Structure formats: C-alpha cells, structure tokens
Amino acid sequence: MKAALLYEGKAKKVYQASGNEAQLVLSYKNDATAFNGKKKDVFPGKGRLNNEIAATIFSYLAEQEIESHFIKKLNETEQLVHKTEIVPLEVVVRNIAAGSIVKRLGLREKEVFSPPLVELYYKNDDLNDPLINDEHAKFLTDLTSVELHEIKVKAFEINTSLRLLFQSINLTLVDFKLEFGRLANGRIILSDEISPDTCRLWDKDTEAKLDKDVFRQGTGDLIQVYEQVLERLTNYVSV
Ligand code: UDP
C-alpha cells in the first residue's frame, strides 16, 4: 500500500501511497513530544490509539459534511489520505483559557471565551511556532485573503461540530489545533490529525485532563487516558 517515505514528523511518518500519486499513507508513531521537542518519550500503543481516534473524528466530521484529507483507515496504525501540500499554519481554536494563552495574556485558567477565539501560529520549529496575525500569515504562505478567511470560518464550524461530539461523551473541548492543506487542484481542505495530542479535553464532571497535558505536566498515564477517549468515542459512534 505504501511506497517511499516522504517525511518523518514528531508524531507521524508520511509515505507516498503506492499506485496513486494523489494519495498518502500516514503512519502514526508511538513517540510523544512536548515543548517543541524538548520533552520526549515513547508510549507503546499510542500510534494505534491516535490513528483510531483521528479516523473516528474525521469520519464523524465527514458525516457532518466537513471534508478532510481522510479517506480510510488501513490498519491499526495507518490511514490513507488525500495528498495535500500543508499550509505552514497552526490554526488554534479556543473555547476555554488553558495553556500558552493563560501565560501570554495573564488570564485565569478556565476563563470561557464566548465567542471562541481563533489564533494563527507559523509552523516553524526553529522559530518555536510563533503567534502571528493575518498579515503575517498572508506574507508567509500562498493563501489569498479569501482563503485565509475561509480557513477561519471552517475552523469555527469544526469547533461547533466537535464540541457537540465531545459533549455527548461527557468531555469538554477546551482548545485544539488544526492544519489545512492544498490539494493538487488548488482547493484547501482540513488535513493532519485531530487527536488528544492536538486537543485539550476535560472530563465534564471531574475536570480531569484526558489529553497530552498528562504528558506535558507529568500528571498521568498517557495510554490510559487516550484509551479512555477512544472508548468513549467508540461507544458514542456505535450507538
Ligand atoms: N497544539 C498542537 N501542536 C502545537 C501547539 C499546540 O497540537 O504545536 C494544540 C495543543 O494541544 C492545544 C492547543 O493546540 O490543544 C493550544 O495549545 P497552546 O497554544 O495552549 O500551546 P501549549 O500549551 O500546548 O504549548
């Protein structure tokens, strides 16, 4: 199913799909990194969990008519996707204050953003993914003003859909990061992954963190937590 390795990132390997130039195979790794790669560890089983979770979420979004690069799950750790050229932006949507924004703006953790906030970061490890504005984004990427606007509108739509999904499994979607990519025909679609690596998810009753913050902060067992997210999603999806 897969041919040449095209790229290896912190959490995934990207292969050319054999026999179809327009498709890629994403292979989810067991590695976890935080603080721009300064904290690292390997968690056997993480690749399978994130592959399953991302596949479930992308399938749910497709049912809600939100298109992504996801085509199908291939096996425990791999999925087939449409090939896109990733736009070097991290699009973060925030419903509740947590993480970097708390420090940057001196906010109280758990402050609610109504309406939600969208932020753009320049995807560049050497620069530590700096927060940028729309003018910077247009300068640094090949996006037109209209495309940048469409990406933001799409990010809010995805937020609305995902909040409902997570609410139904008793999780609060605090914030998350999206990436978008350009297809060969020029159209821009949702790409990369959506998983507990890229979302903050809090249990609605206990406020327990069920995401990568347990690794960042060293407060829990990453595999147990990701298993719980998958189990809740699977139960919801199979209802
Ligand atoms: N995020 C991500 N990749 C990054 C940076 C952030 O997936 O390189 C996600 C992160 O998991 C969280 C949201 O984006 O759900 C907002 O992250 P934040 O800016 O608070 O940064 P952090 O606290 O993770 O440094």
Side-chain angles (χ1 to χ4, degrees):
M1 200 63 208
K2 60 192 195 226
L5 175 68
L6 299 181
Y7 173 78
E8 177 160 2
K10 288 185 276 228
K12 297 186 287 298
K13 288 182 183 171
V14 181
Y15 295 90
Q16 176 61 51
S18 56
N20 192 333
E21 253 314 294
Q23 296 180 350
L24 301 171
V25 174
L26 297 190
S27 176
Y28 282 74
K29 306 199 301 186
N30 288 335
D31 304 41
T33 62
F35 312 116
N36 196 18
K38 288 196 266 295
K39 181 169 180 172
K40 281 188 220 169
D41 212 335
V42 180
F43 295 91
K46 173 175 177 281
R48 178 186 70 83
L49 289 164
N50 274 356
N51 184 40
E52 305 259 4
I53 292 169
T56 307
I57 292 174
F58 283 134
S59 304
Y60 163 83
L61 288 175
E63 283 165 21
Q64 312 293 308
E65 290 175 5
I66 295 175
E67 195 190 2
S68 75
H69 70 159
F70 178 76
I71 301 172
K72 63 176 181 179
K73 209 179 84 182
L74 293 172
N75 56 47
E76 279 202 340
T77 56
E78 294 180 329
Q79 52 189 248
L80 188 68
V81 303
H82 295 293
K83 186 190 277 186
T84 62
E85 183 155 346
I86 292 288
V87 177
L89 293 180
E90 301 202 335
V91 181
V92 168
V93 182
R94 299 183 185 273
N95 296 304
I96 297 177
S100 68
I101 198 169
V102 170
K103 278 197 192 151
R104 181 178 302 111
L105 301 183
L107 305 182
R108 183 173 50 82
E109 200 192 40
K110 301 185 186 167
E111 201 160 322
V112 173
F113 299 122
S114 182
L117 307 183
V118 67
E119 295 175 337
L120 303 174
Y121 294 82
Y122 181 36
K123 202 171 140 62
N124 184 317
D125 283 342
D126 293 341
L127 299 175
N128 261 321
D129 299 345
L131 177 67
I132 58 171
N133 67 22
D134 288 20
E135 306 308 313
H136 300 144
K138 280 183 276 175
F139 174 74
L140 292 166
T141 70
D142 62 358
L143 294 176
T144 64
S145 299
V146 171
E147 286 172 333
L148 184 59
H149 176 71
E150 283 168 356
I151 281 180
K152 288 190 184 180
V153 170
K154 192 57 78 184
F156 283 123
E157 273 174 33
I158 293 166
N159 184 42
T160 304
S161 277
L162 290 184
R163 277 174 76 157
L164 288 173
L165 171 67
F166 287 118
Q167 195 173 307
S168 70
I169 55 172
N170 215 39
L171 291 174
T172 302
L173 179 60
V174 173
D175 58 31
F176 59 98
K177 184 265 298 180
L178 300 173
E179 292 182 25
F180 291 83
R182 198 183 282 284
L183 293 163
N185 67 13
R187 229 155 41 78
I188 290 185
I189 56 168
L190 175 63
S191 296
D192 194 50
E193 71 176 279
I194 303 179
S195 73
D197 270 11
T198 63
C199 300
R200 284 195 171 90
L201 300 166
W202 294 348
D203 183 87
K204 272 200 182 304
D205 300 325
T206 65
E207 294 193 335
K209 295 178 176 177
L210 299 181
D211 56 55
K212 201 166 88 173
D213 271 350
V214 299
F215 169 66
R216 289 191 189 95
Q217 300 167 357
T219 49
D221 180 332
L222 180 142
I223 293 295
Q224 254 180 34
V225 159
Y226 285 29
E227 257 165 8
Q228 208 186 122
V229 172
L230 178 60
E231 197 182 301
R232 291 194 200 190
L233 277 172
T234 310
N235 290 339
Y236 166 77
V237 171
S238 61
V239 166

